[in-house]
Amino acid sequence: MKFFIDTANLDEIRTVAEMGLVDGVTTNPTLLAKEGRGFKQTIKEICAMVDGPVSAEVVSASSAEKMLEEAHTVASWHPNVVVKIPFGPEGVKVIRQLTKEGIRTNVTLMFSLTQAHIAAKAGGTFLSLFVGRVDDMATDGMEAVRDAVDMVHTYSFASEVLVASTRHPLHIVESLRAGAHIATVPFKTLELLYKHPLTDLGLGKFTDDWQKAGLNFD
Ligand code: E4P
C-alpha cells in the first residue's frame, strides 16, 4: 500500500521524504490555509521535494467550466500535480474531460460506494474515501473503503482507492486489511506507525546485555 502524506507543511514533507516513506502528497484548502503561504508556490516546492503525485484542489465546485479552468492552471504547475476535484455532478463532468486530456485526478469528499462507482466510471485516477469524518458520526467509515476496493477489482477499473481522513494507526491497519491502494496519512500518525513499546524494551535489553558481557565486533 502506498503512503501519501496529508499535509501542506514543507518541514513535515521534507522529514518523511528523507525517511523514504512518502509516495505522494495530498493537500486541501484547509491544510494550505494553515500554512499561510501561496498556493502555487507551496505546490511547486512540494513537487521539488517529492517524486510522486501531489494533489492540488480546485475550489469552484458549483461550476464545471470554472473548475476546468482551475484544473488546467494547477496541472500546468508541474507534471506531478494531480488535480483534486470535489465529487458532485459538476465535478464528474470535469473528471471525464480531464481524463480525456490525460490529466490525472483525485476525486475528493467521497463517503459512499455509489459515489466511488460514479467517480471510477468517469475515469478518476484516485478515489478518495474519507473515513475519519464518517467515524465521527458513529458510523463505520471503512465500510465504503472495503466495498470500493471490491468494486474496483470486480469491474477492473483503473482507479486506485485512496483512504483519506485517516486519524490514527488503526485506520492504516484497516486500510491494509481492505487492500486499499493508498492511505493518505497526517505526519503525527505516520510517526506513530513506527512505535511499539516492546521494540523499545527489547532494544534496551539487547543493549544492556551486550554491554554487561563486554561484547564487541573484534
Ligand atoms: C485528503 O485528501 C483529505 O482532504 C484529508 O484527508 C481530510 O482529512 P480530515 O477529515 O482529517 O480533514
Side-chain angles (χ1 to χ4, degrees), residues 141-160:
M142 288 302 301
E143 190 182 334
V145 170
R146 290 187 288 269
D147 289 346
V149 170
D150 281 350
M151 180 265 294
V152 162
H153 291 313
T154 302
Y155 296 100
S156 303
F157 284 115
S159 310
E160 295 187 71

Side-chain angles (χ1 to χ4, degrees), residues 6 26 28 84 130 133 164-165 167 184:
D6 198 20
T26 51
N28 64 33
K84 209 172 178 194
F130 282 41
R133 294 188 193 188
S165 186
R167 305 268 174 83
T184 190

Side-chain angles (χ1 to χ4, degrees), residues 204-215:
K205 176 148 175 53
F206 287 156
T207 307
D208 275 0
D209 291 345
W210 173 273
Q211 283 168 352
K212 276 183 206 149
L215 292 166

Side-chain angles (χ1 to χ4, degrees), residues 25-167:
V25 180
T26 51
T27 67
N28 64 33
T30 306
L31 293 170
L32 283 153
K34 263 202 254 172
E35 301 306 317
R37 301 168 77 250
F39 183 24
K40 181 176 178 179
Q41 179 200 0
T42 308
I43 296 296
K44 287 186 103 166
E45 286 186 50
I46 295 173
C47 288
M49 275 193 271
V50 174
D51 186 20
V54 174
S55 292
E57 189 161 339
V58 297
V59 290
S60 298
S62 56
S63 157
E65 205 180 15
K66 281 191 189 147
M67 255 191 288
L68 195 57
E69 203 180 309
E70 292 171 359
H72 286 140
T73 300
V74 297
S76 74
W77 291 343
H78 194 280
N80 284 351
V81 169
V82 171
V83 185
K84 209 172 178 194
I85 309 280
F87 180 84
E90 293 303 289
V92 170
K93 288 183 205 164
V94 177
I95 296 157
R96 200 163 271 127
Q97 177 57 30
L98 293 173
T99 305
K100 276 191 203 148
E101 296 175 25
I103 296 174
R104 293 177 299 168
T105 54
N106 175 353
V107 192
T108 190
L109 285 172
M110 294 200 291
F111 300 88
S112 72
L113 176 61
T114 53
Q115 291 178 323
H117 180 225
I118 291 168
K121 281 171 74 70
T125 313
F126 303 127
L127 311 178
S128 277
L129 287 153
F130 282 41
V131 294
R133 294 188 193 188
V134 177
D135 289 359
D136 290 345
M137 300 172 75
T139 307
D140 179 16
M142 288 302 301
E143 190 182 334
V145 170
R146 290 187 288 269
D147 289 346
V149 170
D150 281 350
M151 180 265 294
V152 162
H153 291 313
T154 302
Y155 296 100
S156 303
F157 284 115
S159 310
E160 295 187 71
V161 175
L162 191 162
V163 187
S165 186
T166 60
R167 305 268 174 83

